[in-house]
Amino acid sequence: MQTIFVTGGAGFIGSNFVTWLLARPNLKIVIIDKLTYAGHMLNLQDVLGLPSVSFIQADIADRSTLDRLFTEHSPDVVLNFAAESHVDRSIDNPAPFIETNTVGTFVLLEAARHFWMTLTTEKKARFRFLHVSTDEVYGTLGAEGLFSEETPYAPNSPYAASKAAADHFVRAYFHTYGFPTITTNCSNNYGPYQFPEKLIPLMILNALEGKALPIYGDGRHVRDWLFVEDHCEGLWMVACQGKPGEKYNLGGNNELSNLELVNLLIDVLEEFEPAHENQPLHRQGIAAYKDLKVFVDDRPGHDRRYAIDASKVKAELGWAPKFTLLTGLRKTVQWYLSHRNWCEAVLAENYGRERLGLKN
C-alpha cells in the first residue's frame, strides 16, 4: 500500500488526477488543498468518503501543518499541483502567485526533504517528489521549433516567473541534497472541472448563454492542447518510472491558434447544442455561435506560440497522448453541458467571467 500526497488536489488537474488514480490498486490518497477560488470540494464530490481517500484543508506554505501531515501519513510519493495558474490574474496581482507557486513550493520541498531524511535507506530510495509545472516557463517560440527539456527558461508573465522560480528550487534540491525530485512541464490542459476563467470553459459557457466570445489580439497566438486525462496518465508514469533529477515535457501534439480553437469549439458545440435551439441566441436575433466572436485588446506580454517536444518521455517511459483534440473537446463540451449546476456553484461570488489582466 502506497500513500500519495496530492497537493492542490481540489483544483482542475489535481482533482482529475485523484479520480484517475482511483483505478490503480493499493493506493492511499491524501489530498491537501487550500481551497482558493479555483479549488472546490465540488471537484471531489465523487471521491470523498471512499476509504482510500482523505482530504485536509491546508496551505502548502504552512510549514508546521505540513510537518504534522508528513509525520501522520508518511507518504511515499508527493505530487505538487498546488498553484495559482491564471496568467491574467497574475498581471492584476502577482503576490498570490509568488506566495503559492514559489514560496509554497519551497516550504513543501523543505518539509518533504526533512521527512525524507528520517526514512530508512530502502524507503528513501523509493520516495519521489513530482513537481507539476508548465511550458510557459520557457517563454515564447517563433513560427518554428519546439520546447525541449533543454530549452532555456525565459518567463514573460508573473505567473510564468513564479513557476520558473519553483522549478529551479526543485532542481536545486536534487543537486544539492540528493532529494529525489522530478519536474514535468506540460502544455495547455483542458477537460472537466476546469475553472471557467480559462479559454475553453469560458467560451463554452459564454456561447451557451449568448454572450461574447472574446479573442485576444489577432487570435493567432498558438498553443498546444493536452486533454487532462492524458496528462494524468503521463504524470503517474513519470512518478513511477521517471528518473530523479530529470524533467519531462508532456505535450498533446495539438497546435492551434486561439482563433482556430474557438472555431473548432463552435463546431463541437453545434453537434450537441445546435445554435437554432439556443434560446439566448434567439432572443438576441443571433443565428450562429460564430457571430458571438469579438476581438479584444491583447494581453500584456502575451506569448506568441508554445509547442512541446515530448519525445523524451515517449522514448524513456512510453507515454504518448491517446486523445485527439476533437475527441477531447467533445468529451469536454458534453461534460460542461451536463454540469451546469457545477458551473453556477463555482462561479457564485467568485468570478463573473469579466476580463482580467489589463492593469498596468
Side-chain angles (χ1 to χ4, degrees):
M1 177 72 74
Q2 277 189 306
T3 298
I4 315 298
F5 271 15
V6 181
T7 68
F12 163 46
I13 303 176
S15 62
N16 275 278
F17 181 76
V18 169
T19 300
W20 186 90
L21 208 57
L22 287 174
R24 278 75 218 162
N26 301 318
L27 296 178
K28 177 185 176 185
I29 305 167
V30 180
I31 302 166
I32 302 168
D33 200 291
K34 187 178 178 180
L35 295 181
T36 60
Y37 76 94
H40 292 272
M41 297 300 288
L42 282 173
N43 297 0
L44 301 170
Q45 58 189 337
D46 295 331
V47 304
L48 292 181
L50 298 175
S52 61
V53 179
S54 57
F55 174 83
I56 297 102
Q57 183 174 355
D59 186 346
I60 61 167
D62 181 350
R63 176 64 187 275
S64 61
T65 297
L66 289 180
D67 286 341
R68 175 176 59 81
L69 294 178
F70 274 99
T71 300
E72 289 179 0
H73 296 278
S74 191
D76 302 283
V77 181
V78 175
L79 290 103
N80 181 31
F81 294 92
E84 294 282 345
S85 67
H86 191 41
V87 174
D88 287 358
R89 287 181 185 267
S90 81
I91 295 170
D92 287 345
N93 184 13
F97 292 76
I98 306 305
E99 291 163 5
T100 296
N101 301 355
T102 306
V103 176
T105 298
F106 160 70
V107 174
L108 180 63
L109 279 165
E110 275 288 271
R113 180 176 71 88
H114 281 274
F115 164 75
W116 173 74
M117 290 171 61
T118 69
L119 299 177
T120 64
T121 301
E122 182 182 357
K123 288 186 175 181
K124 274 186 176 181
R126 292 201 304 262
F127 187 90
R128 293 292 182 271
F129 183 107
L130 174 55
H131 175 63
V132 182
S133 191
T134 171
D135 57 2
E136 298 198 31
V137 298
Y138 298 125
T140 189
L141 288 167
E144 303 294 330
L146 301 170
F147 293 137
S148 75
E149 287 81 2
E150 286 73 43
T151 300
Y153 278 29
N156 290 318
S157 71
Y159 161 65
S162 69
K163 291 294 289 186
D167 290 9
H168 289 319
F169 272 111
V170 172
R171 182 181 189 276
Y173 268 58
F174 172 77
H175 287 281
T176 301
Y177 304 110
F179 183 57
T181 63
I182 306 174
T183 299
T184 57
N185 297 85
C186 69
S187 53
N188 283 35
N189 275 222
Y190 68 99
Y193 294 110
Q194 188 170 33
F195 191 75
E197 65 188 357
K198 297 298 179 73
L199 179 61
I200 288 176
L202 177 67
M203 293 295 160
I204 293 171
L205 297 186
N206 279 15
L208 292 174
E209 297 174 15
K211 296 180 178 179
L213 306 181
I215 300 167
Y216 291 2
D218 61 8
R220 295 182 181 180
H221 300 83
V222 173
R223 297 294 182 264
D224 174 36
W225 294 94
L226 175 63
F227 189 57
V228 66
E229 189 174 319
D230 278 330
H231 188 200
C232 292
E233 180 182 39
L235 290 171
W236 189 237
M237 291 180 73
V238 170
C240 294
Q241 305 171 40
K243 182 180 177 182
E246 293 293 318
K247 70 198 303 284
Y248 298 89
N249 283 350
L250 302 173
N253 195 29
N254 288 308
E255 278 188 69
L256 268 78
S257 72
N258 288 343
L259 181 57
E260 290 172 327
L261 179 70
V262 172
N263 289 336
L264 180 57
L265 193 54
I266 286 171
D267 291 341
V268 175
L269 267 173
E270 191 65 36
E271 291 181 33
F272 300 106
E273 188 83 8
H276 71 267
E277 297 178 4
N278 185 305
Q279 292 304 312
L281 290 183
H282 285 185
R283 287 193 290 269
Q284 299 177 70
I286 297 173
Y289 290 121
K290 66 180 181 179
D291 297 327
L292 296 171
K293 292 187 294 184
V294 58
F295 292 89
V296 299
D297 289 343
D298 204 355
R299 168 192 289 161
H302 199 177
D303 289 335
R304 195 62 174 172
R305 175 174 170 259
Y306 303 149
I308 283 280
D309 175 2
S311 59
K312 175 179 176 178
V313 71
K314 182 178 182 180
E316 295 187 11
L317 307 183
W319 177 85
K322 295 182 174 65
F323 285 84
T324 66
L325 183 58
L326 184 57
T327 303
L329 284 178
R330 283 176 172 150
K331 287 196 68 170
T332 302
V333 168
Q334 287 179 296
W335 188 89
Y336 280 94
L337 285 171
S338 62
H339 288 78
R340 299 296 293 276
N341 290 339
W342 176 90
C343 298
E344 293 174 5
V346 300
L347 288 169
E349 300 181 4
N350 282 322
Y351 177 55
R353 284 180 265 158
E354 67 274 10
R355 176 72 191 274
L356 304 173
L358 287 176
K359 292 184 179 179
N360 295 323

